[in-house]
Amino acid sequence: HVQLVESGGGSVRTGGSLRLSCAASGATAGRHCIGWFRQAPGKKREGVAAISSDGTTSYADSVKGRFTISRDSSNNTLYLQMNSLKPEDTATYYCAAGPDYLVRFSAWQRVGDFGNWGQGTQVTVS
């Protein structure tokens, strides 16, 4: 079981930047794929980016070139650097832990494959 706690959300102007953090704890935290997801009001939860235990990354087309996912294995903290933010990026952002192979097989955008979720952090772009 992996516990996840997000932080770093807030309000920002269009074109601005934010960095989200996800602190992961638990005996197997370092061996999971970690994904960032977001959910806007009235919309389905969607995958934004994911990173495997070996640092392999993958991104949704909507954020490629603007968002960067990374992990600090020394303290099991994951980051999502978000640049050039747009109003359509407004959502609650969640990090989630899933099987490590999800990134390798390009299957990380399936919400149901992630069993452990954080509480979410709000990002508002105006």
Side-chain angles (χ1 to χ4, degrees):
H1 185 70
V2 179
Q3 294 82 40
L4 303 163
V5 179
E6 303 97 335
S7 60
S11 296
V12 66
R13 299 279 188 156
T14 299
S17 298
L18 279 174
R19 189 177 81 157
L20 305 182
S21 299
C22 172
S25 60
T28 62
R31 300 202 296 266
H32 286 76
C33 153
I34 300 294
W36 281 100
F37 293 78
R38 65 187 181 188
Q39 188 166 19
K43 294 191 175 182
K44 290 183 178 180
R45 192 167 297 188
E46 63 175 1
V48 175
I51 187 167
S52 66
S53 62
D54 68 358
T56 302
T57 60
S58 187
Y59 297 91
D61 288 344
S62 59
V63 305
K64 278 181 183 175
R66 299 189 299 123
F67 290 12
T68 302
I69 189 171
S70 61
R71 71 193 300 163
D72 184 342
S73 296
S74 67
N75 60 10
N76 280 333
T77 301
L78 295 302
Y79 302 100
L80 186 68
Q81 178 66 44
M82 305 186 295
N83 299 328
S84 302
L85 283 161
K86 306 175 181 180
E88 50 264 44
D89 295 317
T90 295
T92 301
Y93 283 71
Y94 301 87
C95 61
D100 206 35
Y101 63 77
L102 290 176
V103 174
R104 186 164 66 249
F105 292 109
S106 300
W108 61 272
Q109 289 178 294
R110 296 197 298 236
V111 171
D113 287 334
F114 287 79
N116 297 282
W117 291 81
Q119 82 288 351
T121 186
Q122 178 66 35
V123 171
T124 302
V125 185
S126 61

